[in-house]
Amino acid sequence: MNWIHNHKRALLHINLAFIGGLTGVYAILVRGGNFGAAQTMNLIEMILNFAEMNLTDAFLRLAIFILYGLAIIAAFLIGERFSSVKSYIALVIETVCVWIAGIIPSSVHPLIALFPVFILNAYQWQTFTTPECYNSSTIFSTNNYKQTVLAWMRYHMTHDQSQKKRAWLFTGTLIFFHLGVLAGYFAVKHAGIHGIWFTFVPLITATCLVLPIGEAEILEADVGI
């Protein structure tokens, strides 16, 4: 139990990465192949929609772009105003978003159906950003992969233990993100649009990791996966 207490922040981080992977694959498999985490694909598709005069999808993607930004702003402002409880608020918001996403019928336009997932991912990204002062996202993998490769390379070149610690952080993030993808695949296969409700399980474990300790203690916890 002492090990769990001393590594709460790392455990919370990889737990959130699992959520990122699960909600990401849900968006792709259930909601028309759209990835609900990052804006790169959304903006590319938006420009293509405008170029092809598919104005319905173009303006929906513009709405998603704006909504995503507003969710980030909301997370930032709430974090500034209620810093001691911002993690609790984030987990409540994520739980509500997961519930809403799971009750939206498959007949609804997939971009509209993904609004809760975009809010969830934007809010999670802004609230849980920097484990051990490392810029490690829990909702997509590109930078985590880059940092994993560079950290292991630096460790093998210098034998610097801080680089080893960094390497394990990013490696663990990648592993648990894609375990979330695998879990999401089976959840969707067996439960369809309700498969996203499997996210309630890691949300509960995340809450268990946050509730017994304060925000300040989370920030001070040793990552050391």
Side-chain angles (χ1 to χ4, degrees), residues 9 12-13 16 71-80 82-94 119-131 136-139 210 215 218-219:
R9 194 174 175 209
L12 176 63
H13 178 74
L16 293 166
I72 291 173
I73 291 170
F76 173 80
L77 293 177
I78 290 173
E80 289 289 300
F82 306 103
S83 60
S84 63
V85 293
K86 68 176 184 178
S87 296
Y88 313 143
I89 295 172
L91 292 173
V92 170
I93 289 173
E94 290 193 37
I119 293 172
L120 180 156
N121 282 304
Y123 208 96
Q124 177 170 306
W125 189 18
Q126 176 58 35
T127 304
F128 305 100
T129 51
T130 53
S136 176
S137 170
T138 57
I139 62 170
V210 168
E215 200 73 38
I218 293 177
L219 295 177

Side-chain angles (χ1 to χ4, degrees), residues 2 16 18 26 29-31 33 44 64 69-70 75 99 113 123-124 130 132 145 152 154-155 174 178 195 207 212-213:
N2 285 337
L16 293 166
F18 187 92
Y26 172 86
L29 294 179
V30 176
R31 304 300 184 181
I44 290 173
I64 288 169
L70 290 175
W99 177 74
Y123 208 96
Q124 177 170 306
T130 53
E132 195 71 0
Y145 176 63
W152 281 118
R154 289 169 180 151
Y155 170 67
L174 284 174
H178 292 94
T207 303
I213 57 178

Side-chain angles (χ1 to χ4, degrees), residues 1 29 36 67 79 84 97 103 122-123 134 143 168 170 203 210 223:
M1 292 301 295
L29 294 179
L67 183 68
S84 63
C97 287
I103 64 172
Y123 208 96
Y134 300 147
N143 185 61
W168 275 119
F170 285 103
L203 280 170
V210 168
V223 171

